[in-house]
Amino acid sequence: MGAGKTTIGRLLARRLGMTFVDSDHEIEARTGATIPWIFEIEGEASFRRREADVIRELTARQGIVLATGGGAVLDPGSRALLAGRGTVVYLRASVHSILLRTAHDRNRPLLQTADPRKKLEDLTAQREPLYREIADLVIDTGRPNVQSMVQTILDQIEALHAAHARKARITMNEHASISLDVDLGERSYPIVIGRGLLDDDVLLARHIGGGNAKVAIVTNTTVAPLYLDKVAAPLRAAGREVVEIVLPDGEAYKNWESLNLVFDALLAHKCDRKTTLVALGGGVIGDLTGYAAASYMRGVPFVQIPTTLLAQVDSSVGGKTGINHPLGKNMIGAFYQPRAVIADTATLDTLPARELSAGLAEVIKHGAILDAGFFDWIEHNIGKLVARDHAALAHAIARSCEIKADVVRRDEREGGLRAVLNFGHTFGHAIEAGMGYGVWLHGEAVGCGMVMAADLSRRLGLVDDAAVERIRTLVQAAGLPVVAPDLGAARWIELMEVDKKNEGGAIKFILLKPLGSPSIAGAPRDLLEATLAATVGPAAGAVPGAAA
């Protein structure tokens, strides 16, 4: 509903040399009545029966691009026919976008209510799982360039056919890919999310690009045995020279020494400006490889292939690259965007439970600061996420990437808005530096940091006790610590004073006002110390756990 399917469908049909058919228009042509009239006189149930009959007939035809009404998926028979007889493309639009497109359209009977936004939110909650159930491709319609969107659909259809040869219908929960864009003008790039993407040689070759130029894959000692050959072998088979750079694993190695190991390998293999770097691993590898790409020969292309949940939902998107310094986390780096992000959700199958929980911290963060509805969804589905339910993880990754991509589009270099993505990070970075990098995982520190930031928000009168408890309960349910380590109040404040968000020596916090909306503010020393006293405790050991 209101996702632009008629416009995109017509263009797609023209590019494919097919006939475009809109099921709603077909119903109107056959009945001689408008959709609103049918709803008013016969009721929605009668309209849905007519719609199902038309879809049954149209899906039997060959050579057409069919645009269905938004509610067509409500009928199980229609869903089965759409899934079994064609390639289903779900054009996903936000409620805000749909409202803008349909504000003056009187031909949408379901939106003729006193509160169309609430109606749209209810319809989205009802229909979204059904769309994803049958979709082969999920395409975000937030970008303004329709021609670019059509090309993305064509590319994804080609990749889908090449990878699976249309042997069998593959359900959304397992193998459909979701394609999003980070819209930054000429530096825009795609995020492709799906299960089994590393098995798709065509997709890897297309996004890594570079013709016959060298490819340098940077990974670590944990990821290399699992996925290095899977990425390198098809590139070598295509005639590419592949340089393998395997670094030690862990946050403790996100430093100058590891960065120089990358430079040493690039120079030893005489890599030139056409070389593409590939970051194969989690957040440490992604940040470090991106910084190497930004610096080597003053900039070479790189591609992110994140293999942890934290990297897939956050660190691989947005172009923040860098390394740590003993006095502060991520204080040395550059803004440098990748050519593409390829997130294969199958890599999460081998992820340790502690790493999975660390990634869920960033998922929770996105809902807490910018999407209260998404936060609600996480609360209701945290059990599925912890259990690695494929459909739940795919939705969490896609929504997190949508939220971050939209923020990056509006504020690439953290001039203001992008800072809100650091909710929980002022406290979290202090934990990491104070305990020693790698003792707490980044996501564990952020999870605990969100509990602390929520407590400070309450003390400043920005949220109530219930909101703080919701944050704490959800963080704990994700398997993350909710009690901070006792670094001493003076040490805590000293560490927080070394933070990129600070201005004029004053500590800046990302707070909640209310849950689902951010606020950037300072805090009086007495309230900050009260938060530290309330959230720090001896139960927080060196290696955090959910029961901390």
Side-chain angles (χ1 to χ4, degrees):
M1 176 184 288
K5 60 184 178 292
T6 300
T7 300
I8 293 170
R10 291 188 192 280
L11 292 171
L12 196 59
R14 191 176 306 153
R15 293 284 300 275
L16 292 169
M18 294 181 175
T19 301
F20 174 74
V21 181
D22 185 304
S23 62
D24 282 353
H25 296 170
E26 189 74 11
I27 293 169
E28 289 181 330
R30 294 184 183 192
T31 61
T34 64
I35 302 298
W37 189 92
I38 297 173
F39 264 76
E40 181 179 351
I41 302 303
E42 297 184 357
E44 182 178 356
S46 176
F47 171 78
R48 295 300 174 201
R49 286 193 294 273
R50 291 182 182 276
E51 183 178 51
D53 290 341
V54 167
I55 287 174
R56 185 180 305 108
E57 180 181 326
L58 293 176
T59 54
R61 296 185 190 177
Q62 299 295 316
I64 69 168
V65 172
L66 171 62
T68 70
V73 293
L74 297 174
D75 182 78
S78 294
R79 291 202 303 275
L81 290 170
L82 291 167
R85 292 179 173 179
T87 300
V88 179
V89 180
Y90 166 29
L91 299 179
R92 189 179 189 280
S94 67
V95 169
H96 179 69
S97 296
I98 296 173
L99 279 174
L100 290 177
R101 293 170 184 165
T102 61
H104 304 293
D105 188 347
R106 299 302 173 191
N107 290 317
R108 299 181 183 275
L110 292 179
L111 298 185
Q112 306 311 307
T113 68
D115 189 352
R117 174 179 289 276
K118 177 63 166 60
K119 183 63 175 180
L120 271 175
E121 290 172 348
D122 292 343
L123 290 173
T124 298
Q126 176 192 32
R127 296 174 180 180
E128 172 87 4
L130 303 179
Y131 293 147
R132 291 192 178 277
E133 174 189 321
I134 66 170
D136 291 287
L137 304 174
V138 181
I139 304 294
D140 176 51
T141 62
R143 74 198 95 166
N145 190 326
V146 175
Q147 294 290 350
S148 172
M149 205 182 310
V150 170
Q151 187 59 52
T152 297
I153 295 170
L154 291 170
D155 290 344
Q156 291 298 313
I157 289 174
E158 179 185 357
L160 187 68
H161 289 182
H164 307 297
R166 304 301 292 161
K167 291 186 300 184
R169 169 68 195 162
I170 303 174
T171 65
M172 171 61 210
N173 288 352
E174 292 296 327
H175 290 286
S177 66
I178 301 168
S179 179
L180 311 171
D181 271 349
V182 181
D183 186 1
L184 294 171
E186 63 181 14
R187 290 173 295 101
S188 298
Y189 55 93
I191 307 168
V192 187
I193 305 160
R195 190 168 178 80
L197 298 184
L198 296 188
D199 297 317
D200 189 338
D201 298 353
V202 175
L203 181 141
L204 290 174
R206 182 172 73 252
H207 287 297
I208 290 175
N212 294 318
K214 295 176 183 176
V215 178
I217 303 174
V218 184
T219 186
N220 62 39
T221 51
T222 299
V223 175
L226 298 171
Y227 305 113
L228 178 54
D229 187 61
K230 183 173 284 193
V231 176
L235 294 170
R236 289 195 174 102
R240 307 285 291 272
E241 180 181 341
V242 178
V243 178
E244 298 179 358
I245 306 171
V246 182
L247 303 176
D249 185 17
E251 187 79 29
Y253 299 100
K254 187 179 173 182
N255 54 27
W256 284 113
E257 290 75 12
S258 295
L259 186 65
N260 275 324
L261 289 176
V262 176
F263 292 144
D264 290 346
L266 296 175
L267 291 167
H269 288 85
K270 298 181 173 57
C271 294
D272 57 23
R273 282 196 172 109
K274 294 183 178 180
T275 301
T276 297
L277 270 60
V278 175
L280 177 64
V284 170
I285 288 295
D287 286 4
L288 193 148
T289 303
Y291 190 32
S295 306
Y296 187 70
M297 293 192 174
R298 296 189 174 89
V300 297
F302 86 108
V303 172
Q304 290 270 18
I305 303 183
T307 59
T308 66
L309 181 59
L310 186 144
Q312 290 181 2
V313 302
D314 187 69
S315 64
S316 67
V317 177
K320 276 191 177 182
T321 71
I323 57 175
N324 297 331
H325 187 279
L327 296 180
K329 182 177 172 67
N330 292 333
M331 296 300 289
I332 301 164
F335 288 99
Y336 194 69
Q337 301 296 340
R339 173 183 284 167
V341 178
I342 303 170
D344 185 343
T345 58
T347 61
L348 303 182
D349 294 347
T350 59
L351 196 65
R354 189 179 169 200
E355 290 276 3
L356 185 80
S357 292
L360 289 175
E362 298 287 0
V363 175
I364 294 168
K365 175 197 77 176
H366 287 124
I369 56 168
L370 287 169
D371 190 340
F374 184 43
F375 188 89
D376 294 344
W377 180 89
I378 300 167
E379 286 182 310
H380 287 100
N381 290 274
I382 189 64
K384 290 183 178 180
L385 293 169
V386 171
R388 307 179 198 238
D389 178 84
H390 296 161
L393 283 172
H395 177 68
I397 295 167
R399 184 63 191 130
S400 295
C401 287
E402 287 173 342
I403 291 170
K404 184 162 188 180
D406 183 59
V407 171
V408 171
R409 175 183 62 80
R410 292 188 280 167
D411 179 19
E412 180 183 2
R413 293 179 174 267
E414 204 165 305
L417 174 65
R418 187 169 178 176
V420 305
L421 295 173
N422 287 298
F423 174 58
H425 285 58
T426 303
F427 292 105
H429 286 172
I431 291 172
E432 290 183 87
M435 296 297 291
Y437 294 122
V439 176
W440 282 49
L441 297 178
H442 175 64
E444 292 170 335
V446 168
C448 188
M450 288 191 291
V451 175
M452 301 175 79
D455 181 273
L456 184 57
S457 300
R458 180 184 61 79
R459 293 178 191 278
L460 288 166
L462 304 179
V463 298
D464 58 16
D465 291 344
V468 177
E469 185 56 31
R470 287 179 70 187
I471 292 282
R472 187 184 188 282
T473 299
L474 185 55
V475 168
Q476 191 165 38
L480 294 163
V482 295
V483 178
D486 187 359
L487 305 176
R491 178 61 172 156
W492 265 104
I493 292 170
E494 177 188 8
L495 290 167
M496 288 188 289
E497 287 174 341
V498 184
D499 189 275
K500 299 185 295 298
K501 298 183 297 300
N502 295 347
E503 296 177 2
I507 303 173
K508 290 291 185 181
F509 296 94
I510 310 303
L511 304 170
L512 301 175
K513 184 187 179 181
L515 183 63
S517 299
S519 174
I520 304 176
R525 180 69 173 256
D526 60 330
L527 295 185
L528 177 55
E529 290 181 346
T531 285
L532 291 173
T535 56
V536 167
V543 178

